Amino acid sequence: MSFSTQSKLGDLLDNADTKAVLEKHMPGIAEHPQIAMGRGFPLAVVANFSGGAITPAMLEAVDADLAKL
């Protein structure tokens, strides 16, 4: 299975390798108090509701690292 920023956040957090990529570019994302609400949505969609905390540059970097897995 390939992962990208179009993958559901919950799927990315439930996989050790992809979670490490998220934590590399977005430290603390797995422990964010509101993260449970976003688990069913693609990471790119969650970024739209992050108030700028997840930037387009972060999404590009995450996509690049996920493509290497």
Side-chain angles (χ1 to χ4, degrees):
M1 178 179 199
S2 63
F3 293 97
S4 74
T5 56
Q6 296 304 316
S7 300
K8 289 183 181 178
L9 179 58
D11 293 341
L12 295 171
L13 291 172
D14 291 343
N15 177 293
D17 293 331
T18 56
K19 181 178 178 180
V21 170
L22 293 184
E23 286 292 334
K24 173 183 172 184
H25 297 287
M26 304 168 206
I29 189 170
E31 288 79 36
H32 191 281
Q34 296 176 323
I35 205 67
M37 293 188 309
R39 289 182 62 89
F41 297 96
L43 176 58
V45 172
V46 173
N48 292 331
F49 299 102
S50 73
I54 301 174
T55 66
M58 287 174 165
L59 291 176
E60 288 179 27
V62 168
D63 253 344
D65 281 357
L66 291 176
K68 296 175 188 174
L69 299 179

